[in-house]
Amino acid sequence: MNIAIAALGFGIVTAAILSLGAVGFTLQYGVTNVLNLAIAGVMSGAEYVSLEINRHGANIWLTIAVGAVFGAVASYALNRFIYMPFIRRGVRAFAMVIISLAVWTIIQYVVLAIVGPGYSSLRVPVTHTYSLGAIRITGTQISVVLIAIVALLALEATLRFTLFGKAIRATATNAPLARASGVNVGRVIDLTWLISGVFSGIAGVVIAITVSSFSYSTAGDFLVPLIAAAILGGVGRPLGAMVGALIVGVVSEVGAALTNPSYKNVIAFAMLGIVLVVRPSGLFPERVQRKDVVL
């Protein structure tokens, strides 16, 4: 029992990381209907960009900011220069999944060719460790959770209370109708990919912060739990992705603590399979299901 309770703290930290990536992933899908598996490549790139500036003396907050900017630019470039040409040629949603998987594979091995197979670590200030019963959590981990909470609340407020948020929701619900109503759908899509890239970049950096060391494949290890969180919450629903990330993060960490730490991704994959069988639309399904990708 103490082991499970102790793992709860790690589960919350993992949930914070997954929520950032899952929200970026589901936001892209919600607006464009593209399941972008190459998001792991953006996260991996953000890890190494943050490592480089961290080595040159940047503090952890500047490191996160630069990772966020890199994620935004990389995500925008992926859509603008790789995905959109395929979409213009009439490629369907399933084919776009295969394309995004190919892009992720290419990015992964390009990163490997540049940085090599070794492990790297960010210089993170040593912080106090706090205890709540069997739960032990460091100040750095608390900061990661707070970063996720602030970022997610800011996104939710944007979607609910701003004109841009209304334009995103209109485009996600019915892009042709939104375009006919005067919404600049192209600009909404571009800004959505930029925002989702910010979340992906932050996710990559906080992964680098929370793990003791990372390699070219570390971000990819989070891809299955990230997708499981997004699907559990209902793909295309940012709020659902947050809830899904909390469930997947806690269950996978506690389950791994009770069985074997190497089973963490296996547990997340099992949860993904169960969700697809029992409730494929997720906890918070979209009101409108779209079949084609959006340009």
Side-chain angles (χ1 to χ4, degrees):
M1 181 60 71
N2 284 340
I3 295 176
I5 295 174
L8 183 61
F10 293 106
I12 293 172
V13 176
T14 299
I17 297 171
L18 293 179
S19 65
L20 291 167
V23 165
F25 179 84
T26 204
L27 191 61
Q28 291 169 352
Y29 176 83
V31 173
T32 64
N33 213 32
V34 174
L35 286 169
N36 178 30
L37 302 182
I39 189 172
V42 176
M43 292 161 59
S44 183
E47 287 176 344
Y48 283 98
V49 168
S50 67
L51 175 66
E52 190 61 29
I53 68 161
N54 184 252
R55 283 174 173 171
H56 286 79
N59 62 36
I60 203 64
W61 300 108
L62 180 58
T63 300
I64 293 172
V66 171
V69 172
F70 170 85
V73 174
S75 185
Y76 175 86
L78 275 177
N79 181 57
R80 175 62 64 173
F81 302 114
I82 297 179
Y83 295 149
M84 285 186 68
F86 284 102
I87 295 171
R88 289 194 180 102
R89 290 179 174 86
V91 174
R92 298 293 184 175
F94 179 76
M96 290 303 300
V97 175
I98 305 302
I99 291 167
S100 71
L101 179 60
V103 171
W104 158 228
T105 303
I106 292 169
I107 292 174
Q108 184 177 33
Y109 285 101
V110 167
V111 172
L112 172 61
I114 294 172
V115 304
Y119 285 81
S120 304
S121 300
L122 289 179
R123 297 192 190 115
V124 180
V126 178
T127 56
H128 182 70
T129 299
Y130 300 91
S131 298
L132 181 60
I135 298 176
R136 295 172 63 84
I137 188 168
T138 67
T140 300
Q141 291 171 328
I142 293 174
S143 296
V144 167
V145 173
L146 291 176
I147 289 169
I149 291 173
V150 170
L152 296 171
L153 288 177
L155 175 63
E156 187 65 19
T158 299
L159 293 176
R160 286 182 178 272
F161 304 118
T162 68
L163 288 176
F164 175 60
K166 292 178 181 178
I168 288 178
R169 288 187 280 122
T171 302
T173 302
N174 191 320
L177 180 59
R179 185 180 285 112
S181 301
V183 175
N184 189 331
V185 172
R187 183 175 296 175
V188 169
I189 291 173
D190 286 342
L191 290 174
T192 298
W193 279 83
L194 283 169
I195 293 172
S196 65
V198 168
F199 278 83
S200 305
I202 295 174
V205 178
V206 297
I207 288 172
I209 290 172
T210 53
V211 299
S212 57
S213 58
F214 62 93
S215 71
Y216 74 98
S217 63
T218 301
D221 294 338
F222 282 80
L223 185 59
V224 169
L226 184 156
I227 294 173
I231 292 178
L232 177 60
V235 178
R237 309 286 287 185
L239 182 60
M242 302 175 201
V243 177
L246 181 61
I247 296 172
V248 172
V250 171
V251 171
S252 61
E253 289 288 351
V254 172
L258 293 175
T259 55
N260 188 310
S262 62
Y263 291 168
K264 188 187 303 183
N265 278 359
V266 176
I267 294 170
F269 191 80
M271 292 180 66
L272 175 59
I274 292 170
V275 170
L276 289 174
V277 171
V278 176
R279 192 176 175 84
S281 58
L283 298 175
F284 306 98
E286 286 189 291
R287 293 189 181 92
V288 177
Q289 299 294 330
R290 287 156 291 104
K291 296 181 180 180
D292 297 330
V293 289
V294 176
L295 181 62

